[in-house]
Amino acid sequence: MSAPESSPRDARWRPLIALLAVGGASALLVWACPDEGWHLAGHTVRIETPSAWNGWWASEPQPTIIPRWKPEDVEALLERYEEQLSAIEAQDTVYPTPTVADSSLPATPPPLPDSSASTSVAEPLTDGAAPSPSAPPAVVSAAPKPKIVAEPDGRDWIPGSLRIGIPPEEEAAFHRLFSQLDRGEPVHVLHYGDSQIEGDRISGTMRQRWQERWGGHGPGIQPPVPLVQSFSLRQALSGPWKRHTRFGRRDSTDLDENYGLLTSYATADSASVPSCIDVGPERRSPPSFARWDRLDVWHDTVHTVCEVLVDGLPVDTLEPGTLPGVLTLPMSNMEPGGAPVRLCFSGRPPRLFALHPVGQGTQWHSVAMRGSSGTLFRKLARGPFSTQLKRVDPDLIVLQFGGNTVPYTRDSLAAARYGGWFRRQIELFQALTPEAAILVIGPSDMAEKTGSQWTPFPQLDAVRTAIRNASLDAGVAHWDLLDAMGGLGSMPAWVASEPPLAGPDHVHFTPRGARQVGEWLDRAFWAEFRRWEQGGQTPAMTGMKRRPSSSIPLQLPSSDDR
């Protein structure tokens, strides 16, 4: 009699057990991984998780920080800033006494514009905070700089939320910049940014302050066909002009990446109708913006015969085969109050990259890129971009981005990836301009409507942190605009202020608010200059720890066409 057969064993549960084991081991690794990661054989291994999971791993729940700012808080915080920024200047700055040679200068420094005209939010300061320097007075180009007579005494120079964080490896570049300014040498600043600097906002305030303090004139390089009218100069177009941009909504007919230094160019497709550009002073701009020595036109390779006229007089003829270069126009200098220069092309002009009203001394070039996340520079045709960048030879490069990324960032992993892409852009500028100082400016506070309240975008802080980490990892300076405004949740107070400092979209500054931001940035630079001038030590960047490059998240190709 044979033994009864045993029933077959059900093996369907085995994959489930295996999945549970793998999931449990993964959860244990995530829980055990420290914030700085594990250091193995010279490499750093970090485990990133979406920010929505943070509550699962944290020992205590992390409350959402959404302060309810009021318009009166804006005034109070600004007053605190102003008190501390003005205190040290009154103590240790001596203004030069006019001599016979410069008797036209005032015996006392002209005041800065009334801060009530450009009030904005500042970070709350404790009563025990050390006083900090204010921006120096505005002086004409020929005036000597105010001299600092106080000895270094270890005091803090500026409220922490306004300070520019300069890492040790970037100090030499900033010291070269300060030395050039101190010696009165020409200085070029190339300021890239999103729509927050459109129309020369923020950058125009910086240009005005630096030209008043260090000497100089000129409005900086301009696109031939601007998207919006700039505060720096007036441009009027006639003819079939077309604007092409690499940022924002790119023209589908553009077949190459040759957009040049300004990441845009202009064309005029009709040879039968003259294409003209009137360039002249903008009545709202300072007098130094309305003065330039000549007008240069940056152009691409010439394909058809084109006659160039200035105020109706022929000055040059562009022949087919002419290589990319600069066309210098005679009789194109400008003085404040002068009539606009009329530049015309008879025939189809070549691709025009830029109009450059060439000035002297300190030059602040503003490049506004509406809708850009600041991750497109490596996509540009490297030869033309590099050539034009070297033509300017900037001493300081400012990269102000992040706002256009915030609304589209889903979680902290996406923010970290953006930080990796942004770092690659910084490294490109470091490779092409190794002597230039580089400053990264993060996003402002931004709010969206949730129910009846305006609250910060969910990933705003993650994007701000990613940009700050990218700056630290690349070894460049960083200025936190969000902190300067007052932190998360401060934007509604800017909008509700009287007069408003930000627009109803709760994203963009009004001209008044942008002017205040520019004043703060100028004061932050001035504080660092004074620290250098007196031999003080630049404080270490706070809130950021140096991370090895191997710990940066994988950098994948990104699109800037948002």
Side-chain angles (χ1 to χ4, degrees), residues 230-309:
S230 173
F231 290 114
S232 59
L233 86 168
R234 174 69 59 177
Q235 290 172 262
L237 307 173
S238 63
W241 290 106
K242 184 177 181 181
R243 186 171 187 261
H244 304 253
T245 65
R246 183 58 181 84
F247 51 88
R249 182 171 297 178
R250 185 184 181 191
D251 193 321
S252 59
T253 63
D254 294 350
L255 302 179
D256 58 42
E257 297 287 348
N258 185 13
Y259 290 87
L261 185 70
L262 306 189
T263 68
S264 66
Y265 63 86
T267 59
D269 295 333
S270 176
S272 59
V273 179
S275 303
C276 299
I277 306 175
D278 293 343
V279 183
E282 164 58 45
R283 61 179 178 81
R284 298 169 293 179
S285 66
S288 65
F289 294 11
R291 177 180 293 112
W292 59 80
D293 302 333
R294 68 178 190 274
L295 190 63
D296 285 352
V297 180
W298 296 11
H299 65 82
D300 199 5
T301 303
V302 180
H303 298 290
T304 60
V305 176
C306 180
E307 187 177 33
V308 183
L309 302 91

Side-chain angles (χ1 to χ4, degrees), residues 449-482:
K449 196 70 172 289
T450 54
S452 61
Q453 300 289 338
W454 288 91
T455 59
F457 280 88
Q459 297 303 321
L460 172 59
D461 190 53
V463 171
R464 184 261 296 266
T465 300
I467 290 178
R468 188 170 58 185
N469 286 341
S471 306
L472 179 64
D473 290 334
V476 300
H478 178 267
W479 192 61
D480 197 326
L481 178 53
L482 177 56

Side-chain angles (χ1 to χ4, degrees), residues 397-456:
I397 296 173
V398 181
L399 303 174
Q400 182 175 348
F401 292 101
N404 290 300
T405 299
V406 169
Y408 305 98
T409 303
R410 294 174 296 179
D411 52 36
S412 59
L413 284 177
R417 283 195 296 269
Y418 169 71
W421 301 331
F422 193 79
R423 178 188 173 182
R424 295 187 65 202
Q425 315 307 311
I426 299 173
E427 292 171 340
L428 173 65
F429 284 104
Q430 289 175 317
L432 297 179
T433 57
E435 297 297 313
I438 298 178
L439 170 67
V440 172
I441 300 177
S444 67
D445 189 35
M446 301 167 57
E448 62 177 351
K449 196 70 172 289
T450 54
S452 61
Q453 300 289 338
W454 288 91
T455 59

Side-chain angles (χ1 to χ4, degrees), residues 89-100:
E89 179 183 325
Q91 295 175 13
D92 63 7
T93 303
V94 173
Y95 303 103
T97 302
T99 61
V100 175

